[in-house]
Amino acid sequence: MQVDAATRVCGLFGYPVGHSFSPAMHNAALRALGINWLYVAFAVRPAHLPAAVAAVRALDMPGANVTIPHKEAVLPLVDEVSDAARLAGAVNTIVLRDGVLFGDNTDGRGFLRAVAEAGFDPHGKTVVIIGAGGAARAVGTALAGAGVARFVLINRTIERARALGDLLASLGPEVRVFPWSELPRPSAALAALFEEAGIVVQTTSLGMHPAANISVPIAPALFHRNQLVCDLVYNPPRTRFLEGAEAAGARVLNGLGMLLHQGALALEAWTGRPAPVEVMRAALERQLAGGKE
Ligand code: NAP
């Protein structure tokens, strides 16, 4: 990759960003497309976020990704937001279009693409979501848009699950909320809902590297072979949560597909071209295996 006077810069705003897989994924894609851009991870302190967002316009960047801890704070800093970003309450992608800063959220659509790849259609289904943070909100609102019939929400802080439940119910689906303490000792009502659930989505940060030995405390009997069990965590690729689900016969999916497809959707918005998804997937897998680009 040669940097010259025509090179443009896009990238990631987060804090910290040192361990992000996004530069490897996006630079591999840009090389494959023959686009003279660089994707850089910028460690942006919270106090500097408004200046960083303004720099997208000032430096004529095609756009930027936004990650923890800035996804919510960036919402009022852009000129326009997509419905997905408004519903998710967060922006993970900024696109500069004709001088206008457009905020989108590709996490939920990225998740939908990943489960579609696994052959799952959420329409009319019961979905269990464990966790009620930003990722749960992005995934839940996208699933509601895809026609989910019923949500079962479980979170350590039940008020957050209730707040997410109110939002999801306002979009149409039926919502049931259960306390975290039921996961290891489920009531008959919760067990029956897991029985009918086509998909279980683990959206908490539990089990993520370097605390991979900590896991969601869940009764193994809640998993069954007609379920797709997803963990949004991708490092390690097989969390203890997924190991438990697999042992019970469920199909499992980690968060790598969501990471890949949220990135592919962002790249498509910036370039207007189809993303080289397999090139991006291979770059992510090399990162996960500890390989260097
Ligand atoms: P967040 O907004 O901070 O929410 C964190 C969630 O985890 C909350 O539900 C929180 O429960 C729960 N939690 C944290 N520590 C816990 C503990 N010790 N016991 C029980 N629950 C706990 O974070 P987020 O943005 O939603 O991200 C959550 C996870 O999703 C992270 O691992 C992130 O890497 C992953 N993610 C992956 C992708 C992808 O592309 N694969 C995209 C986005 C996020 P409380 O409400 O009780 O605090």
Side-chain angles (χ1 to χ4, degrees), residues 32-266:
L33 292 172
I35 293 177
N36 187 7
W37 297 354
L38 272 180
Y39 185 103
V40 178
F42 295 101
V44 177
R45 290 175 188 274
H48 296 155
L49 184 65
V53 174
V56 173
R57 184 162 27 220
L59 302 179
D60 193 31
M61 295 168 68
N65 284 134
V66 183
T67 190
I68 293 170
H70 301 317
K71 285 185 183 186
E72 287 88 13
V74 86
L75 205 70
L77 300 176
V78 293
D79 302 319
E80 291 174 16
V81 292
S82 66
D83 287 346
R86 187 177 45 77
L87 286 172
V91 164
N92 81 332
T93 302
I94 301 171
V95 186
L96 182 67
R97 268 188 207 147
D98 304 323
V100 173
L101 293 172
F102 182 71
D104 194 6
N105 192 311
T106 64
D107 279 337
R109 294 193 320 279
F111 176 79
L112 291 182
R113 277 199 186 180
V115 295
E117 251 178 17
F120 182 78
D121 177 5
H123 193 268
K125 301 284 194 328
T126 293
V127 175
V128 175
I129 298 183
I130 300 172
R137 185 165 164 176
V139 164
T141 50
L143 283 166
V148 159
R150 180 186 277 172
F151 284 103
V152 179
L153 305 180
I154 304 147
N155 191 49
R156 176 180 61 177
T157 309
I158 197 161
E159 293 75 21
R160 280 184 100 186
R162 290 203 181 105
L164 177 60
D166 289 345
L167 172 67
L168 296 178
S170 76
L171 301 174
E174 183 192 328
V175 175
R176 302 281 306 273
V177 175
F178 288 84
W180 187 253
S181 57
E182 278 214 27
L183 272 178
R185 289 175 300 280
S187 62
L190 182 61
L193 286 164
F194 264 82
E195 188 58 36
E196 77 172 42
I199 184 168
V200 177
V201 192
Q202 196 302 101
T203 73
T204 77
S205 45
L206 289 173
M208 196 163 69
H209 175 80
N213 58 335
I214 302 174
S215 190
V216 175
I218 183 166
L222 289 175
F223 297 122
H224 59 80
R225 56 183 61 251
N226 296 324
Q227 271 170 353
L228 177 64
V229 177
C230 309
D231 197 328
L232 300 196
V233 173
Y234 50 84
N235 190 12
R238 273 282 182 279
T239 56
R240 292 216 171 154
F241 180 79
L242 290 187
E243 279 173 2
E246 205 166 31
R251 288 192 303 135
V252 297
L253 184 70
N254 69 22
L256 202 73
M258 175 174 170
L259 179 68
L260 165 68
H261 287 293
Q262 63 75 31
L265 287 158

